[in-house]
Amino acid sequence: MIKFLDLAAQNNEIVIDVERAFAQIHETTSYIDGPPVAAFEAAFAEFLNVRHVIGVASGTDALRLALIAAGVSAGDEVITVPMTFIATASAIMQAGATPVFVDIDPATGTMCPRALQRYVESRQWKSANGPRAIIPVDLYGLPAPMNEIREIARGAGLAVIEDACQAHGARLTCDGRWQMAGTVGAAGCFSFYPGKNLGAWGDAGAVATNDDELAERVRRLRNHGRISHYAHADCGYTARLDTMQAAVLISKLKRLAKWNARRREIASLYRQRLESTEVDLPLEPADAESCYHLFVIRSARRDLIRASLLEQAIDCGIHYPVPLHLQPALRSLGYQEGDFPVSEHWADTVLSIPIHAHMSDGEVEQVSRTIEDTLARQAARTDEPDFGAEESSTHTD
Ligand SMILES: Cc1ncc(COP(=O)(O)O)c(C=O)c1O
């Protein structure tokens, strides 16, 4: 059995630290806003090299509160991509705005700046006020092309809120230097869902920003709009980062760079092993460094490869089989099949194969060999002499 992700192995590394921290929390009963919250925020801000990190209850809350704090409200549009987890769009709806999609780049899977530019120039808005913000998504851990997106946003007066929920420790070059994903827009939003590169033992998230006012607004909104214990400047939310989760995150953050480095090693092994096969491997542009939250290959024979992997007890997944514009939950937006052909093609061909910090080279070899053998067997079948239409049809997928 090859696991897609090994949370138990992560836990083995941190359990002593975390138990000690939990004992202290129980002793002080500081379950809400205890010292680990501020300690984690400071440590993650240092890791990202950003002025503020505000811990919240989930990645979805991070996106929702960052949008509201950036001034997004009813009647506004927020531009994003259809090839992402539903929460990117749900957060826009929760902020009262309308999600509007532009297609992804066929090479990288992240927002296509040309498609964004076309939409912004079209002035064919779907809601009363037109666009107010853009949410580029760092899909699978690869930073979106923030330089181009920021340029377009600046020209159109739009805020950029980066969905970095899959990109803890990914980097990109911006303003001539390497910077962490989630730190170059007005705000970057992180999820600490357990399976993320930096994951809690439950739900958690954070907003990162260099904007003092935006930080203050998010800080207020996460805690009932409080300015003092019983004075409230806004009707806010119960969206605080839990103290226990903060303690887990402090411990895992210490290991994140090491764990991400191992993920990059595994990605490089997969590249070496699979580059001669027909599958499309994830592209990493020269100005970006993925943290390989997922290692996603693409193939017209995706379902066949997936079936072979599962048969060999190798876990794998599809992120995502249905692009957001075709999700029943978003039917009211009025999109149809064919509206975003690149996203639809990706949804039909993507396959996430196992990658995690505790995976061995032998396991990478076994996954690669299974993919290689499956494709070779299939090629041999389709190369067999054609003795008649009926027989040949049984040999194709
Ligand atoms: C791209 C993306 N955006 C948003 C989210 C939402 O995060 P959460 O599940 O913590 O609310 C996720 C989490 O899976 C995600 O992958």
Side-chain angles (χ1 to χ4, degrees):
M1 160 92 192
I2 297 185
K3 293 180 182 173
F4 191 68
L5 164 78
D6 193 346
L7 291 181
Q10 284 188 7
N11 291 349
N12 284 341
E13 286 194 41
I14 64 163
V15 73
I16 293 172
D17 263 15
V18 174
E19 275 176 359
R20 202 175 298 127
F22 278 8
Q24 221 159 30
I25 296 166
H26 289 311
E27 204 174 298
T28 54
T29 63
S30 53
Y31 299 110
I32 300 292
D33 205 22
V37 173
F40 170 69
E41 289 174 337
F44 198 43
E46 190 182 338
F47 176 84
L48 294 175
N49 192 23
V50 74
R51 282 170 69 81
H52 306 278
V53 163
I54 306 103
V56 294
S58 68
T60 310
D61 280 340
L63 287 163
R64 175 175 51 146
L65 300 193
L67 286 169
I68 297 171
V72 170
S73 63
D76 294 337
E77 288 178 5
V78 178
I79 308 170
T80 190
V81 286
M83 195 56 181
T84 177
F85 183 57
I86 184 112
T88 313
S90 315
I92 297 170
M93 307 273 266
Q94 288 164 14
T98 305
V100 169
F101 299 119
V102 296
D103 216 343
I104 53 171
D105 182 318
T108 59
T110 53
M111 182 179 277
C112 171
R114 288 173 308 287
L116 173 65
Q117 179 96 50
R118 270 197 303 278
Y119 181 73
V120 169
E121 284 172 358
S122 76
R123 304 197 62 79
Q124 305 281 306
W125 313 139
K126 283 182 169 287
S127 68
N129 308 340
R132 177 87 191 229
I134 305 169
I135 303 188
V137 178
D138 301 334
L139 190 69
Y140 312 143
L142 178 71
M146 293 300 286
N147 289 299
E148 286 120 299
I149 291 169
R150 276 196 322 180
E151 204 53 41
I152 297 167
R154 220 173 268 140
L158 306 176
V160 180
I161 308 290
E162 187 178 350
D163 183 338
C165 284
Q166 303 184 354
H168 321 73
R171 301 194 309 160
L172 68 161
T173 52
C174 245
D175 305 325
R177 65 193 165 92
W178 283 98
Q179 301 193 45
M180 289 289 189
T183 66
V184 297
C189 300
F190 292 87
S191 163
F192 305 123
Y193 181 82
K196 303 295 188 197
N197 290 32
L198 179 60
W201 283 357
D203 283 309
V207 177
T209 182
N210 285 307
D211 180 330
D212 298 349
E213 278 178 30
L214 193 142
E216 203 39 54
R217 283 198 290 273
V218 172
R219 225 179 275 286
R220 260 199 336 256
L221 285 167
R222 74 170 171 183
N223 189 18
H224 301 289
R226 268 199 176 109
I227 41 180
S228 69
H229 198 67
Y230 285 119
H232 307 267
D234 311 283
C235 289
Y237 303 87
T238 309
R240 297 166 294 235
L241 171 62
D242 186 271
T243 306
M244 307 287 252
Q245 301 305 341
V248 174
L249 290 167
I250 288 171
S251 219
K252 286 200 184 181
L253 180 58
K254 290 178 189 152
R255 292 153 176 90
L256 180 61
K258 177 185 84 174
W259 288 346
N260 277 351
R262 177 62 187 152
R263 281 176 185 266
R264 289 187 58 77
E265 253 173 42
I266 292 167
S268 153
L269 287 175
Y270 272 139
R271 281 184 195 289
Q272 286 164 32
R273 287 294 280 98
L274 296 173
E275 72 184 349
S276 57
T277 70
E278 63 175 57
V279 301
D280 288 321
L281 297 171
L283 182 92
E284 200 178 46
D287 62 353
E289 208 177 81
S290 176
C291 65
Y292 289 104
H293 171 55
L294 298 172
F295 192 89
V296 178
I297 60 173
R298 281 172 292 131
S299 168
R301 298 180 210 275
R302 185 264 308 275
D303 294 339
L304 181 76
I305 299 171
R306 179 168 175 266
S308 295
L309 290 171
L310 294 177
E311 208 171 275
Q312 299 294 315
I314 298 170
D315 209 359
C316 52
I318 297 177
H319 302 86
Y320 298 90
V322 181
L324 295 194
H325 66 290
L326 302 179
Q327 284 287 354
L330 299 171
R331 201 171 284 138
S332 64
L333 300 177
Y335 290 109
Q336 292 173 1
E337 201 168 336
D339 282 348
F340 302 103
V342 183
S343 295
E344 289 169 28
H345 182 65
W346 272 55
D348 289 341
T349 54
V350 289
L351 181 67
S352 312
I353 59 178
I355 189 164
H356 59 83
H358 299 86
M359 194 173 175
S360 69
D361 288 5
E363 287 177 317
V364 177
E365 171 60 26
Q366 203 180 322
V367 176
S368 305
R369 201 175 336 107
T370 304
I371 295 171
E372 221 171 36
D373 290 352
T374 306
L375 292 171
R377 263 200 318 274
Q378 183 66 15
R381 273 187 204 149
T382 42
D383 282 351
E384 278 171 13
D386 188 354
F387 294 117
E390 226 169 277
E391 188 166 351
S392 72
S393 71
T394 61
H395 291 308
T396 51
D397 40 308

